[in-house]
Amino acid sequence: MSLPEFISDRIAAEVRQQMEGVLALTGQLARQRLTPDGEACVASVTEAAEGLLRIMTAAADLRATITPGPRSVPEPVVLREVMDEVQQRWEPRAAEAGVTLLVSFSGEPDAAALADRRRLIQIFDGFIGEAVGAQGRGAVEAGLSAFAGPDGVVIEGRVRGPRDTGWDDQDVEARVRSIDERLGLEVALGALLARSALGDMGGELHREANAGASDTAAFTLRLDAVPESAPAAAELAEDAGRAAHILVVDDNATNRMVAQSLVEMFDCTSEAAEDGEEAVEAARSGRFDLILMDIRMPRMDGVAATRAIRALPGRIGATPIIALTANADPEDAEAYLAAGMNGVVEKPMKPEHLLQALQAALDPGGAAAAA
């Protein structure tokens, strides 16, 4: 990686981290008693921060699509839950635009397939974003049908929106530039990501003209079935299954607040420490089920603190420790694991990545069976 690329990545990671801190703070403010003007200000700041994060995430994802190496990581996915997530992501934003979003799923309730869940959702994000942006009012429909067959699982996705959306336009560059001019950068990036994800997954896209003033973007994907040895579909979306008391260690107050907010999302309790020395002292008490450990900190860094905790006797010295770091390259991760850490979560943190790491550290037997 060249120096300009390294600096660009570090700046992007820092901006994301600060925006996540802003969202954590606005979330705290939204739970307070505010005047109507105060509530409107908090809502506006939240909307702006969420929009910027979405644009940065899309830009990072686009960069990943032109980076050599595998882009798709198949895993067992419950297809109905994909549409539940799509609805949760888009219903509020569609309502703000004056659009009614109708989401449906057709198939067995527990139908699952091996797929890259994130990229599958990117496809719907892109087409729904175009449709909602162009619709202005009325309704946008998004649906997914799943059919199990001898060669795997065939899924058919459909997004119905206003006519002349140009979903099957072969000139992708011209299409994206047109979307940017009319609907903005976020929608344009989403449209490009959708087409990229669909192509990477071997999908086929075509447009269907409907009666009236609407068209449907229809795509088909052929996915592998989930092996019988994999966990049951109902188990794929289970939470960690237990409350845990977690120590969050970070020298940055905003980072601590973000991590503690995410921990609370998973019904865990938490305490905080500002550096490695405080972490070691807190760990001596034996009251923590898990430690989230930043790497770069004054006085004592995360690696040194981990080694010090591992030297403590008995159960305390075996407390699961997860690294929180913006430096999560394979070589760095190897060093953290060699120091005694149980896992690595990259900053800026994504809730699903943190949850996976918590599950693996708190229930290693279950994680091993899932693997």
Side-chain angles (χ1 to χ4, degrees):
M1 179 185 293
S2 67
L3 181 59
E5 288 175 328
F6 171 78
I7 293 173
S8 175
D9 285 351
R10 293 293 298 124
I11 291 174
E14 183 66 23
V15 172
R16 282 185 59 87
Q17 189 170 300
Q18 295 303 324
M19 284 297 98
E20 289 181 348
V22 169
L23 288 172
L25 292 171
T26 56
Q28 297 271 0
L29 284 173
R31 291 190 285 272
Q32 310 298 319
R33 286 187 176 181
L34 300 174
T35 64
D37 285 346
E39 291 178 351
C41 287
V42 169
S44 296
V45 173
T46 300
E47 182 181 355
E50 288 176 342
L52 179 57
L53 277 178
R54 288 194 298 267
I55 289 173
M56 295 189 68
T57 299
D61 287 342
L62 276 175
R63 179 177 174 179
T65 65
I66 60 174
T67 301
R71 302 178 196 170
S72 183
V73 184
E75 60 180 355
V77 174
V78 180
L79 298 171
R80 173 182 54 80
E81 292 175 357
V82 168
M83 299 313 292
D84 290 343
E85 183 172 343
V86 166
Q87 183 168 11
Q88 291 170 3
R89 289 163 66 88
W90 278 99
E91 204 167 47
R93 294 166 64 184
E96 288 177 8
V99 174
T100 300
L101 179 64
L102 305 174
V103 178
S104 64
F105 173 77
S106 176
E108 294 295 326
D110 60 349
L114 290 178
D116 186 329
R117 180 190 184 98
R118 183 176 62 89
R119 303 225 77 190
L120 187 56
I121 290 175
Q122 281 177 351
I123 296 172
F124 277 101
D125 280 352
F127 294 130
I128 292 174
E130 288 184 67
V132 168
Q135 183 70 25
R137 57 186 178 82
V140 167
E141 301 175 23
L144 179 65
S145 301
F147 310 92
D151 299 324
V153 180
V154 177
I155 65 172
E156 296 179 354
R158 305 169 71 83
V159 176
R160 179 172 177 167
R163 174 145 305 167
D164 299 326
T165 310
W167 276 315
D168 59 350
D169 194 334
Q170 297 301 309
D171 189 344
V172 176
E173 181 176 341
R175 176 70 192 147
V176 170
R177 289 180 183 276
S178 171
I179 294 171
D180 184 22
E181 292 172 0
R182 294 183 295 107
L183 304 176
L185 178 60
E186 182 182 344
V187 178
L189 290 175
L192 189 54
L193 267 177
R195 287 158 174 78
S196 173
L198 191 59
D200 286 346
M201 297 173 74
E204 303 165 2
L205 172 67
H206 63 277
R207 182 176 62 182
E208 298 176 354
N210 306 313
S214 68
D215 283 343
T216 295
F219 61 88
T220 303
L221 289 170
R222 292 166 179 81
L223 306 174
D224 291 331
V226 177
E228 292 184 4
S229 59
E235 297 172 353
L236 298 176
E238 284 185 353
D239 259 347
R242 53 164 290 189
H245 191 51
I246 295 175
L247 177 64
V248 175
V249 187
D250 201 303
D251 61 310
N252 183 286
T254 301
N255 293 348
R256 291 196 300 273
M257 180 173 291
V258 170
Q260 289 188 274
S261 296
L262 290 176
V263 162
E264 291 174 4
M265 284 174 54
F266 307 134
D267 296 324
C268 299
T269 57
S270 67
E271 297 180 36
E274 296 186 10
D275 58 38
E277 287 189 5
E278 287 189 13
V280 175
E281 287 305 309
R284 291 182 192 277
S285 68
R287 63 182 182 273
F288 299 103
D289 298 297
L290 183 140
I291 299 171
L292 296 178
M293 183 78 74
D294 185 30
I295 298 298
R296 295 183 178 179
M297 295 180 290
R299 296 205 299 172
M300 180 184 286
D301 65 26
V303 171
T306 296
R307 290 180 176 140
I309 292 171
R310 290 290 175 253
L312 297 175
R315 178 182 61 82
I316 295 175
T319 304
I321 300 174
I322 296 174
L324 301 179
T325 178
N327 302 314
D329 291 338
E331 297 82 3
D332 295 319
E334 263 187 54
Y336 305 147
L337 297 176
M341 294 182 171
N342 301 79
V344 181
V345 173
E346 187 174 8
K347 291 181 178 178
M349 285 180 288
K350 294 184 177 180
E352 61 271 22
H353 293 171
L354 179 59
L355 177 58
Q356 289 171 1
L358 294 178
Q359 289 175 316
L362 291 170
D363 183 17

PDB file of all heavy atoms in Angstrom, residues 245-279:
ATOM      1  N   HIS A 245     -20.791  -9.086  31.661  1.00  0.00           N
ATOM      2  CA  HIS A 245     -20.258  -7.823  32.169  1.00  0.00           C
ATOM      3  C   HIS A 245     -18.910  -7.603  31.501  1.00  0.00           C
ATOM      4  O   HIS A 245     -17.995  -8.421  31.630  1.00  0.00           O
ATOM      5  CB  HIS A 245     -20.107  -7.880  33.694  1.00  0.00           C
ATOM      6  CG  HIS A 245     -19.813  -6.545  34.301  1.00  0.00           C
ATOM      7  ND1 HIS A 245     -20.577  -5.415  34.030  1.00  0.00           N
ATOM      8  CD2 HIS A 245     -18.841  -6.145  35.169  1.00  0.00           C
ATOM      9  CE1 HIS A 245     -20.093  -4.389  34.703  1.00  0.00           C
ATOM     10  NE2 HIS A 245     -19.042  -4.800  35.403  1.00  0.00           N
ATOM     11  N   ILE A 246     -18.793  -6.518  30.766  1.00  0.00           N
ATOM     12  CA  ILE A 246     -17.657  -6.310  29.861  1.00  0.00           C
ATOM     13  C   ILE A 246     -16.878  -5.061  30.255  1.00  0.00           C
ATOM     14  O   ILE A 246     -17.460  -4.009  30.566  1.00  0.00           O
ATOM     15  CB  ILE A 246     -18.162  -6.195  28.408  1.00  0.00           C
ATOM     16  CG1 ILE A 246     -18.791  -7.536  27.986  1.00  0.00           C
ATOM     17  CG2 ILE A 246     -17.039  -5.810  27.455  1.00  0.00           C
ATOM     18  CD1 ILE A 246     -19.433  -7.515  26.622  1.00  0.00           C
ATOM     19  N   LEU A 247     -15.558  -5.175  30.218  1.00  0.00           N
ATOM     20  CA  LEU A 247     -14.679  -4.030  30.449  1.00  0.00           C
ATOM     21  C   LEU A 247     -14.266  -3.452  29.106  1.00  0.00           C
ATOM     22  O   LEU A 247     -13.690  -4.150  28.265  1.00  0.00           O
ATOM     23  CB  LEU A 247     -13.434  -4.464  31.234  1.00  0.00           C
ATOM     24  CG  LEU A 247     -12.387  -3.372  31.488  1.00  0.00           C
ATOM     25  CD1 LEU A 247     -12.958  -2.260  32.367  1.00  0.00           C
ATOM     26  CD2 LEU A 247     -11.113  -3.951  32.105  1.00  0.00           C
ATOM     27  N   VAL A 248     -14.554  -2.174  28.882  1.00  0.00           N
ATOM     28  CA  VAL A 248     -14.182  -1.474  27.646  1.00  0.00           C
ATOM     29  C   VAL A 248     -12.957  -0.620  27.940  1.00  0.00           C
ATOM     30  O   VAL A 248     -12.991   0.258  28.812  1.00  0.00           O
ATOM     31  CB  VAL A 248     -15.337  -0.580  27.145  1.00  0.00           C
ATOM     32  CG1 VAL A 248     -14.889   0.233  25.937  1.00  0.00           C
ATOM     33  CG2 VAL A 248     -16.547  -1.442  26.788  1.00  0.00           C
ATOM     34  N   VAL A 249     -11.866  -0.875  27.236  1.00  0.00           N
ATOM     35  CA  VAL A 249     -10.601  -0.183  27.489  1.00  0.00           C
ATOM     36  C   VAL A 249     -10.223   0.638  26.264  1.00  0.00           C
ATOM     37  O   VAL A 249      -9.984   0.084  25.186  1.00  0.00           O
ATOM     38  CB  VAL A 249      -9.473  -1.191  27.803  1.00  0.00           C
ATOM     39  CG1 VAL A 249      -8.209  -0.448  28.241  1.00  0.00           C
ATOM     40  CG2 VAL A 249      -9.913  -2.188  28.859  1.00  0.00           C
ATOM     41  N   ASP A 250     -10.170   1.960  26.405  1.00  0.00           N
ATOM     42  CA  ASP A 250      -9.790   2.841  25.298  1.00  0.00           C
ATOM     43  C   ASP A 250      -9.445   4.196  25.878  1.00  0.00           C
ATOM     44  O   ASP A 250     -10.119   4.678  26.792  1.00  0.00           O
ATOM     45  CB  ASP A 250     -10.936   2.979  24.287  1.00  0.00           C
ATOM     46  CG  ASP A 250     -10.452   3.441  22.924  1.00  0.00           C
ATOM     47  OD1 ASP A 250      -9.822   4.517  22.847  1.00  0.00           O
ATOM     48  OD2 ASP A 250     -10.693   2.724  21.935  1.00  0.00           O
ATOM     49  N   ASP A 251      -8.401   4.827  25.348  1.00  0.00           N
ATOM     50  CA  ASP A 251      -8.000   6.131  25.877  1.00  0.00           C
ATOM     51  C   ASP A 251      -8.842   7.272  25.306  1.00  0.00           C
ATOM     52  O   ASP A 251      -8.755   8.400  25.781  1.00  0.00           O
ATOM     53  CB  ASP A 251      -6.520   6.399  25.580  1.00  0.00           C
ATOM     54  CG  ASP A 251      -6.217   6.416  24.089  1.00  0.00           C
ATOM     55  OD1 ASP A 251      -6.628   5.472  23.397  1.00  0.00           O
ATOM     56  OD2 ASP A 251      -5.567   7.371  23.626  1.00  0.00           O
ATOM     57  N   ASN A 252      -9.659   6.970  24.297  1.00  0.00           N
ATOM     58  CA  ASN A 252     -10.505   7.998  23.689  1.00  0.00           C
ATOM     59  C   ASN A 252     -11.919   7.889  24.246  1.00  0.00           C
ATOM     60  O   ASN A 252     -12.562   6.840  24.149  1.00  0.00           O
ATOM     61  CB  ASN A 252     -10.508   7.805  22.161  1.00  0.00           C
ATOM     62  CG  ASN A 252     -11.307   8.873  21.440  1.00  0.00           C
ATOM     63  OD1 ASN A 252     -12.531   8.854  21.485  1.00  0.00           O
ATOM     64  ND2 ASN A 252     -10.619   9.785  20.780  1.00  0.00           N
ATOM     65  N   ALA A 253     -12.415   8.999  24.814  1.00  0.00           N
ATOM     66  CA  ALA A 253     -13.727   8.973  25.470  1.00  0.00           C
ATOM     67  C   ALA A 253     -14.852   8.650  24.488  1.00  0.00           C
ATOM     68  O   ALA A 253     -15.794   7.918  24.824  1.00  0.00           O
ATOM     69  CB  ALA A 253     -14.000  10.314  26.149  1.00  0.00           C
ATOM     70  N   THR A 254     -14.763   9.190  23.274  1.00  0.00           N
ATOM     71  CA  THR A 254     -15.796   8.900  22.275  1.00  0.00           C
ATOM     72  C   THR A 254     -15.811   7.421  21.915  1.00  0.00           C
ATOM     73  O   THR A 254     -16.872   6.795  21.816  1.00  0.00           O
ATOM     74  CB  THR A 254     -15.565   9.745  21.007  1.00  0.00           C
ATOM     75  OG1 THR A 254     -15.605  11.130  21.354  1.00  0.00           O
ATOM     76  CG2 THR A 254     -16.623   9.455  19.968  1.00  0.00           C
ATOM     77  N   ASN A 255     -14.617   6.840  21.732  1.00  0.00           N
ATOM     78  CA  ASN A 255     -14.548   5.411  21.415  1.00  0.00           C
ATOM     79  C   ASN A 255     -15.137   4.565  22.531  1.00  0.00           C
ATOM     80  O   ASN A 255     -15.814   3.557  22.283  1.00  0.00           O
ATOM     81  CB  ASN A 255     -13.094   5.004  21.182  1.00  0.00           C
ATOM     82  CG  ASN A 255     -12.501   5.631  19.941  1.00  0.00           C
ATOM     83  OD1 ASN A 255     -13.224   6.193  19.120  1.00  0.00           O
ATOM     84  ND2 ASN A 255     -11.193   5.562  19.807  1.00  0.00           N
ATOM     85  N   ARG A 256     -14.863   4.955  23.775  1.00  0.00           N
ATOM     86  CA  ARG A 256     -15.423   4.197  24.902  1.00  0.00           C
ATOM     87  C   ARG A 256     -16.947   4.250  24.874  1.00  0.00           C
ATOM     88  O   ARG A 256     -17.625   3.238  25.098  1.00  0.00           O
ATOM     89  CB  ARG A 256     -14.904   4.751  26.239  1.00  0.00           C
ATOM     90  CG  ARG A 256     -13.438   4.504  26.492  1.00  0.00           C
ATOM     91  CD  ARG A 256     -13.075   4.725  27.954  1.00  0.00           C
ATOM     92  NE  ARG A 256     -13.345   6.074  28.424  1.00  0.00           N
ATOM     93  CZ  ARG A 256     -12.502   7.094  28.327  1.00  0.00           C
ATOM     94  NH1 ARG A 256     -11.318   6.905  27.750  1.00  0.00           N
ATOM     95  NH2 ARG A 256     -12.814   8.283  28.797  1.00  0.00           N
ATOM     96  N   MET A 257     -17.490   5.439  24.600  1.00  0.00           N
ATOM     97  CA  MET A 257     -18.942   5.583  24.579  1.00  0.00           C
ATOM     98  C   MET A 257     -19.563   4.760  23.458  1.00  0.00           C
ATOM     99  O   MET A 257     -20.597   4.105  23.643  1.00  0.00           O
ATOM    100  CB  MET A 257     -19.330   7.055  24.443  1.00  0.00           C
ATOM    101  CG  MET A 257     -20.833   7.291  24.419  1.00  0.00           C
ATOM    102  SD  MET A 257     -21.254   9.041  24.453  1.00  0.00           S
ATOM    103  CE  MET A 257     -20.765   9.480  26.114  1.00  0.00           C
ATOM    104  N   VAL A 258     -18.912   4.754  22.277  1.00  0.00           N
ATOM    105  CA  VAL A 258     -19.426   3.964  21.161  1.00  0.00           C
ATOM    106  C   VAL A 258     -19.432   2.479  21.522  1.00  0.00           C
ATOM    107  O   VAL A 258     -20.428   1.775  21.327  1.00  0.00           O
ATOM    108  CB  VAL A 258     -18.576   4.193  19.892  1.00  0.00           C
ATOM    109  CG1 VAL A 258     -18.946   3.192  18.802  1.00  0.00           C
ATOM    110  CG2 VAL A 258     -18.753   5.615  19.388  1.00  0.00           C
ATOM    111  N   ALA A 259     -18.310   1.998  22.057  1.00  0.00           N
ATOM    112  CA  ALA A 259     -18.226   0.579  22.400  1.00  0.00           C
ATOM    113  C   ALA A 259     -19.247   0.212  23.472  1.00  0.00           C
ATOM    114  O   ALA A 259     -19.902  -0.839  23.386  1.00  0.00           O
ATOM    115  CB  ALA A 259     -16.811   0.250  22.883  1.00  0.00           C
ATOM    116  N   GLN A 260     -19.396   1.071  24.489  1.00  0.00           N
ATOM    117  CA  GLN A 260     -20.356   0.760  25.544  1.00  0.00           C
ATOM    118  C   GLN A 260     -21.787   0.790  25.022  1.00  0.00           C
ATOM    119  O   GLN A 260     -22.631  -0.005  25.454  1.00  0.00           O
ATOM    120  CB  GLN A 260     -20.178   1.730  26.720  1.00  0.00           C
ATOM    121  CG  GLN A 260     -18.897   1.473  27.500  1.00  0.00           C
ATOM    122  CD  GLN A 260     -18.805   2.304  28.772  1.00  0.00           C
ATOM    123  OE1 GLN A 260     -18.358   3.440  28.735  1.00  0.00           O
ATOM    124  NE2 GLN A 260     -19.226   1.732  29.884  1.00  0.00           N
ATOM    125  N   SER A 261     -22.071   1.692  24.086  1.00  0.00           N
ATOM    126  CA  SER A 261     -23.408   1.739  23.499  1.00  0.00           C
ATOM    127  C   SER A 261     -23.710   0.455  22.730  1.00  0.00           C
ATOM    128  O   SER A 261     -24.813  -0.093  22.809  1.00  0.00           O
ATOM    129  CB  SER A 261     -23.545   2.944  22.566  1.00  0.00           C
ATOM    130  OG  SER A 261     -23.418   4.151  23.277  1.00  0.00           O
ATOM    131  N   LEU A 262     -22.709  -0.046  21.987  1.00  0.00           N
ATOM    132  CA  LEU A 262     -22.905  -1.292  21.243  1.00  0.00           C
ATOM    133  C   LEU A 262     -23.081  -2.475  22.200  1.00  0.00           C
ATOM    134  O   LEU A 262     -23.925  -3.345  21.979  1.00  0.00           O
ATOM    135  CB  LEU A 262     -21.715  -1.548  20.315  1.00  0.00           C
ATOM    136  CG  LEU A 262     -21.581  -0.597  19.121  1.00  0.00           C
ATOM    137  CD1 LEU A 262     -20.316  -0.908  18.345  1.00  0.00           C
ATOM    138  CD2 LEU A 262     -22.785  -0.695  18.205  1.00  0.00           C
ATOM    139  N   VAL A 263     -22.286  -2.488  23.261  1.00  0.00           N
ATOM    140  CA  VAL A 263     -22.395  -3.558  24.248  1.00  0.00           C
ATOM    141  C   VAL A 263     -23.797  -3.580  24.856  1.00  0.00           C
ATOM    142  O   VAL A 263     -24.396  -4.644  25.051  1.00  0.00           O
ATOM    143  CB  VAL A 263     -21.316  -3.374  25.341  1.00  0.00           C
ATOM    144  CG1 VAL A 263     -21.657  -4.175  26.592  1.00  0.00           C
ATOM    145  CG2 VAL A 263     -19.946  -3.781  24.806  1.00  0.00           C
ATOM    146  N   GLU A 264     -24.338  -2.404  25.146  1.00  0.00           N
ATOM    147  CA  GLU A 264     -25.687  -2.324  25.715  1.00  0.00           C
ATOM    148  C   GLU A 264     -26.735  -2.834  24.731  1.00  0.00           C
ATOM    149  O   GLU A 264     -27.771  -3.372  25.140  1.00  0.00           O
ATOM    150  CB  GLU A 264     -26.003  -0.882  26.114  1.00  0.00           C
ATOM    151  CG  GLU A 264     -25.191  -0.399  27.309  1.00  0.00           C
ATOM    152  CD  GLU A 264     -25.406   1.075  27.599  1.00  0.00           C
ATOM    153  OE1 GLU A 264     -26.250   1.696  26.914  1.00  0.00           O
ATOM    154  OE2 GLU A 264     -24.730   1.604  28.490  1.00  0.00           O
ATOM    155  N   MET A 265     -26.477  -2.663  23.418  1.00  0.00           N
ATOM    156  CA  MET A 265     -27.401  -3.185  22.403  1.00  0.00           C
ATOM    157  C   MET A 265     -27.578  -4.695  22.536  1.00  0.00           C
ATOM    158  O   MET A 265     -28.622  -5.242  22.200  1.00  0.00           O
ATOM    159  CB  MET A 265     -26.882  -2.868  20.991  1.00  0.00           C
ATOM    160  CG  MET A 265     -27.073  -1.434  20.544  1.00  0.00           C
ATOM    161  SD  MET A 265     -26.270  -1.141  18.948  1.00  0.00           S
ATOM    162  CE  MET A 265     -27.006  -2.438  17.948  1.00  0.00           C
ATOM    163  N   PHE A 266     -26.525  -5.369  23.022  1.00  0.00           N
ATOM    164  CA  PHE A 266     -26.565  -6.826  23.147  1.00  0.00           C
ATOM    165  C   PHE A 266     -26.921  -7.252  24.567  1.00  0.00           C
ATOM    166  O   PHE A 266     -26.626  -8.384  24.974  1.00  0.00           O
ATOM    167  CB  PHE A 266     -25.205  -7.417  22.736  1.00  0.00           C
ATOM    168  CG  PHE A 266     -24.736  -6.967  21.383  1.00  0.00           C
ATOM    169  CD1 PHE A 266     -23.437  -6.550  21.172  1.00  0.00           C
ATOM    170  CD2 PHE A 266     -25.612  -6.932  20.305  1.00  0.00           C
ATOM    171  CE1 PHE A 266     -23.008  -6.119  19.925  1.00  0.00           C
ATOM    172  CE2 PHE A 266     -25.200  -6.507  19.054  1.00  0.00           C
ATOM    173  CZ  PHE A 266     -23.892  -6.097  18.867  1.00  0.00           C
ATOM    174  N   ASP A 267     -27.564  -6.340  25.320  1.00  0.00           N
ATOM    175  CA  ASP A 267     -28.047  -6.630  26.667  1.00  0.00           C
ATOM    176  C   ASP A 267     -26.931  -7.018  27.622  1.00  0.00           C
ATOM    177  O   ASP A 267     -27.121  -7.824  28.530  1.00  0.00           O
ATOM    178  CB  ASP A 267     -29.111  -7.743  26.629  1.00  0.00           C
ATOM    179  CG  ASP A 267     -30.357  -7.318  25.865  1.00  0.00           C
ATOM    180  OD1 ASP A 267     -30.717  -6.139  25.957  1.00  0.00           O
ATOM    181  OD2 ASP A 267     -30.951  -8.168  25.183  1.00  0.00           O
ATOM    182  N   CYS A 268     -25.746  -6.469  27.411  1.00  0.00           N
ATOM    183  CA  CYS A 268     -24.638  -6.674  28.338  1.00  0.00           C
ATOM    184  C   CYS A 268     -24.442  -5.407  29.170  1.00  0.00           C
ATOM    185  O   CYS A 268     -24.906  -4.334  28.797  1.00  0.00           O
ATOM    186  CB  CYS A 268     -23.344  -6.986  27.585  1.00  0.00           C
ATOM    187  SG  CYS A 268     -23.420  -8.486  26.588  1.00  0.00           S
ATOM    188  N   THR A 269     -23.752  -5.545  30.283  1.00  0.00           N
ATOM    189  CA  THR A 269     -23.389  -4.384  31.099  1.00  0.00           C
ATOM    190  C   THR A 269     -21.907  -4.115  30.913  1.00  0.00           C
ATOM    191  O   THR A 269     -21.154  -4.975  30.424  1.00  0.00           O
ATOM    192  CB  THR A 269     -23.693  -4.639  32.580  1.00  0.00           C
ATOM    193  OG1 THR A 269     -22.991  -5.818  33.008  1.00  0.00           O
ATOM    194  CG2 THR A 269     -25.188  -4.843  32.794  1.00  0.00           C
ATOM    195  N   SER A 270     -21.459  -2.918  31.274  1.00  0.00           N
ATOM    196  CA  SER A 270     -20.065  -2.589  31.010  1.00  0.00           C
ATOM    197  C   SER A 270     -19.513  -1.590  32.016  1.00  0.00           C
ATOM    198  O   SER A 270     -20.256  -0.868  32.687  1.00  0.00           O
ATOM    199  CB  SER A 270     -19.912  -2.008  29.598  1.00  0.00           C
ATOM    200  OG  SER A 270     -20.556  -0.748  29.502  1.00  0.00           O
ATOM    201  N   GLU A 271     -18.202  -1.581  32.105  1.00  0.00           N
ATOM    202  CA  GLU A 271     -17.433  -0.550  32.790  1.00  0.00           C
ATOM    203  C   GLU A 271     -16.321  -0.130  31.841  1.00  0.00           C
ATOM    204  O   GLU A 271     -16.063  -0.807  30.838  1.00  0.00           O
ATOM    205  CB  GLU A 271     -16.844  -1.075  34.106  1.00  0.00           C
ATOM    206  CG  GLU A 271     -17.881  -1.484  35.138  1.00  0.00           C
ATOM    207  CD  GLU A 271     -17.253  -1.989  36.419  1.00  0.00           C
ATOM    208  OE1 GLU A 271     -16.192  -1.449  36.820  1.00  0.00           O
ATOM    209  OE2 GLU A 271     -17.799  -2.936  37.017  1.00  0.00           O
ATOM    210  N   ALA A 272     -15.645   0.979  32.155  1.00  0.00           N
ATOM    211  CA  ALA A 272     -14.640   1.496  31.231  1.00  0.00           C
ATOM    212  C   ALA A 272     -13.322   1.745  31.953  1.00  0.00           C
ATOM    213  O   ALA A 272     -13.289   2.029  33.152  1.00  0.00           O
ATOM    214  CB  ALA A 272     -15.126   2.783  30.571  1.00  0.00           C
ATOM    215  N   ALA A 273     -12.234   1.610  31.204  1.00  0.00           N
ATOM    216  CA  ALA A 273     -10.893   1.968  31.672  1.00  0.00           C
ATOM    217  C   ALA A 273     -10.217   2.764  30.567  1.00  0.00           C
ATOM    218  O   ALA A 273     -10.504   2.570  29.382  1.00  0.00           O
ATOM    219  CB  ALA A 273     -10.088   0.710  31.993  1.00  0.00           C
ATOM    220  N   GLU A 274      -9.299   3.673  30.959  1.00  0.00           N
ATOM    221  CA  GLU A 274      -8.739   4.618  29.999  1.00  0.00           C
ATOM    222  C   GLU A 274      -7.390   4.197  29.436  1.00  0.00           C
ATOM    223  O   GLU A 274      -6.903   4.813  28.496  1.00  0.00           O
ATOM    224  CB  GLU A 274      -8.622   6.009  30.632  1.00  0.00           C
ATOM    225  CG  GLU A 274      -9.982   6.606  30.988  1.00  0.00           C
ATOM    226  CD  GLU A 274      -9.882   8.035  31.488  1.00  0.00           C
ATOM    227  OE1 GLU A 274      -8.776   8.632  31.387  1.00  0.00           O
ATOM    228  OE2 GLU A 274     -10.893   8.570  31.961  1.00  0.00           O
ATOM    229  N   ASP A 275      -6.748   3.189  29.996  1.00  0.00           N
ATOM    230  CA  ASP A 275      -5.476   2.710  29.446  1.00  0.00           C
ATOM    231  C   ASP A 275      -5.193   1.312  29.965  1.00  0.00           C
ATOM    232  O   ASP A 275      -5.976   0.744  30.743  1.00  0.00           O
ATOM    233  CB  ASP A 275      -4.322   3.663  29.770  1.00  0.00           C
ATOM    234  CG  ASP A 275      -4.133   3.882  31.259  1.00  0.00           C
ATOM    235  OD1 ASP A 275      -4.287   2.912  32.034  1.00  0.00           O
ATOM    236  OD2 ASP A 275      -3.835   5.015  31.666  1.00  0.00           O
ATOM    237  N   GLY A 276      -4.063   0.749  29.542  1.00  0.00           N
ATOM    238  CA  GLY A 276      -3.738  -0.613  29.905  1.00  0.00           C
ATOM    239  C   GLY A 276      -3.536  -0.825  31.391  1.00  0.00           C
ATOM    240  O   GLY A 276      -3.928  -1.871  31.938  1.00  0.00           O
ATOM    241  N   GLU A 277      -2.904   0.138  32.066  1.00  0.00           N
ATOM    242  CA  GLU A 277      -2.679  -0.015  33.500  1.00  0.00           C
ATOM    243  C   GLU A 277      -4.002  -0.098  34.255  1.00  0.00           C
ATOM    244  O   GLU A 277      -4.179  -0.938  35.141  1.00  0.00           O
ATOM    245  CB  GLU A 277      -1.832   1.149  34.025  1.00  0.00           C
ATOM    246  CG  GLU A 277      -0.368   1.075  33.606  1.00  0.00           C
ATOM    247  CD  GLU A 277       0.473   2.121  34.322  1.00  0.00           C
ATOM    248  OE1 GLU A 277      -0.077   2.828  35.208  1.00  0.00           O
ATOM    249  OE2 GLU A 277       1.667   2.234  34.000  1.00  0.00           O
ATOM    250  N   GLU A 278      -4.949   0.782  33.901  1.00  0.00           N
ATOM    251  CA  GLU A 278      -6.269   0.722  34.533  1.00  0.00           C
ATOM    252  C   GLU A 278      -6.961  -0.602  34.215  1.00  0.00           C
ATOM    253  O   GLU A 278      -7.663  -1.169  35.069  1.00  0.00           O
ATOM    254  CB  GLU A 278      -7.141   1.889  34.069  1.00  0.00           C
ATOM    255  CG  GLU A 278      -6.757   3.238  34.646  1.00  0.00           C
ATOM    256  CD  GLU A 278      -7.788   4.307  34.326  1.00  0.00           C
ATOM    257  OE1 GLU A 278      -8.901   3.954  33.874  1.00  0.00           O
ATOM    258  OE2 GLU A 278      -7.484   5.492  34.531  1.00  0.00           O
ATOM    259  N   ALA A 279      -6.762  -1.098  33.002  1.00  0.00           N
ATOM    260  CA  ALA A 279      -7.398  -2.354  32.605  1.00  0.00           C
ATOM    261  C   ALA A 279      -6.894  -3.514  33.453  1.00  0.00           C
ATOM    262  O   ALA A 279      -7.674  -4.362  33.898  1.00  0.00           O
ATOM    263  CB  ALA A 279      -7.139  -2.622  31.124  1.00  0.00           C
TER     264      ALA A 279
END
